[in-house]
Amino acid sequence: MTLSSLHLELPALPGELAGLRREVRRFVAAERAAGTLPYPDKVGLGFSPDVSKRIAAQGWIGMTWPKKYGGHERSALERYVVTEELLAAGVPVGAHWITDRQSGPVLLKFGTEEQRQEWLPKIVRAEVAFCIGMSEPDSGSDLASLRTSGTKVEGGWRVNGSKLWTTNAHRVHCMIALIRTAPAEEKSRQAGLTQILIPLDAPGVGIRPIKSMVGLEDFNEVHFENVFIPDGNVVGAPGNGWNQVSAELAYERSGPERWLSSFRLLAELVEALGPAPSDAAQVEIGRLFAQLMAVRQISLSIASMLEAGKTPNLEASIAKDIGTRLEQEIVRTVRNVVQQEGLLASADLPALRALLASAQRYSPAFTIRGGTGEILRGVIARGLGLR
Ligand SMILES: Cc1cc2nc3c(=O)[nH]c(=O)nc-3n(C[C@H](O)[C@H](O)[C@H](O)COP(=O)(O)OP(=O)(O)OC[C@H]3O[C@@H](n4cnc5c(N)ncnc54)[C@H](O)[C@@H]3O)c2cc1C
């Protein structure tokens, strides 16, 4: 089995998408040949505004959005193919990723016409990027208990409080934050929450990067001290934040990044094993590959549901729970096969060695970010009427 056969064995999508898949592979190959796209040596999305701009120039950001906002009016499945290819190749997409996946769609669905006109064309050109301000020091899984507050003042809101684990806050332009603008109600703890767009250079915003155990500074603490945010930056209706965030999480939880984070590692292993892997290695890789294909089918069907305008929260939770556990399983299996086959002794495999070292330290995050496995299984149980 070779790396290229690993790619080619992916089940076929509708015929016209094969051309797009080839287009993305040609782009990646040309960038690699030009030396502008280094091979990844770490697990994670990587962050390169330049690469994001070149991806934007191909028309691969805001792919499904209306042309009047700079989008390309292509289908969710076309977007899926582009996403899958870029991730499988380990292209650093972090500088536009979250914005394209969920901040833009939130503005499209709930934002005002002014907000859409102001932000979406810039997102499509990879000129601005957003981060997600949900988690707080004492509110992660129990998001409705968050305490960052917005107090109504003349012409806007005064925001006070802190967000935690905010990916990329130190290198993007805006946050879509979930804040409390009215007290919770006795019957609904989720009432009184509002989404608000906070420019990260506003006076009173303080950002402190946090070093993860991989040694990267990808996420942050973000503090707000009397930050003035004009009324025009409220996204959707005040008090509707919980509904909006629920819709947003379907985008966050179902995409191919929920099962492809460690794919490069598997691809490197297949390449390192060469054309005649041992029987034991073939069994392990075959097992992972079968599981990847099953998760991919689930993830693809959710892309179709999103395309049809549905909000598949239950299905997205299933995809993320199964997908992220598989990502961790890939790391464990690769480590075992590498040991079993004595590959670590080879000086010729620096990429495999580096990726494995980073994946082992990064993989606990797969089942935490975007909602922990325990919380997802609670959502699934509720969705199935079991609690
Ligand atoms: C790499 C990474 C990037 C992230 N990026 C962002 C970001 O950009 N923006 C953002 O807002 N957040 C981000 N997060 C935060 C992430 O969403 C939270 O860490 C996650 O939701 C869990 O919240 P917590 O850390 O407060 O853990 P807690 O909620 O304190 O949970 C601790 C443990 O208790 C378990 N637990 C909690 N409640 C229950 C329950 N009711 N039943 C069963 N078990 C339970 C959890 O599953 C977990 O194992 C990121 C996290 C990581 C790791």
Side-chain angles (χ1 to χ4, degrees), residues 1-154:
M1 188 193 292
T2 64
L3 179 58
S4 54
S5 69
L6 193 67
H7 274 301
L8 289 172
E9 284 166 25
L10 292 175
L13 284 165
E16 69 271 22
L17 298 184
L20 178 59
R21 190 179 290 284
R22 278 196 296 275
E23 214 183 295
V24 183
R25 288 184 187 180
R26 272 199 301 274
F27 168 81
V28 172
E31 290 270 333
R32 290 248 153 88
T36 46
L37 197 64
Y39 278 92
D41 60 355
K42 292 185 188 67
V43 166
L45 288 179
F47 190 97
S48 167
D50 288 342
V51 170
S52 289
K53 287 214 168 69
R54 294 203 292 279
I55 290 171
Q58 301 294 317
W60 295 336
I61 299 182
M63 280 182 79
T64 60
W65 306 350
K67 287 192 173 154
K68 66 173 173 167
Y69 303 124
H72 303 286
E73 298 190 1
R74 300 185 77 167
S75 70
L77 287 180
E78 287 177 296
R79 180 178 181 275
Y80 194 94
V81 163
V82 171
T83 304
E84 194 171 62
E85 284 299 318
L86 294 176
L87 289 175
V91 174
V93 292
H96 68 272
W97 191 253
I98 288 171
T99 318
D100 181 50
R101 176 186 69 192
Q102 65 193 90
S103 315
V106 164
L107 293 176
L108 202 53
K109 195 163 182 182
F110 301 108
T112 61
E113 188 53 28
E114 289 74 23
Q115 287 167 351
R116 290 186 203 135
Q117 285 184 14
E118 176 173 3
W119 296 106
L120 296 178
K122 291 182 198 159
I123 294 173
V124 169
R125 296 192 297 266
E127 289 170 5
V128 295
F130 288 59
C131 59
I132 309 166
M134 294 192 200
S135 308
E136 296 191 0
D138 296 314
S139 306
S141 304
D142 184 15
L143 194 57
S145 68
L146 64 79
R147 287 181 300 192
T148 296
S149 65
T151 309
K152 190 75 191 89
V153 293
E154 177 73 31

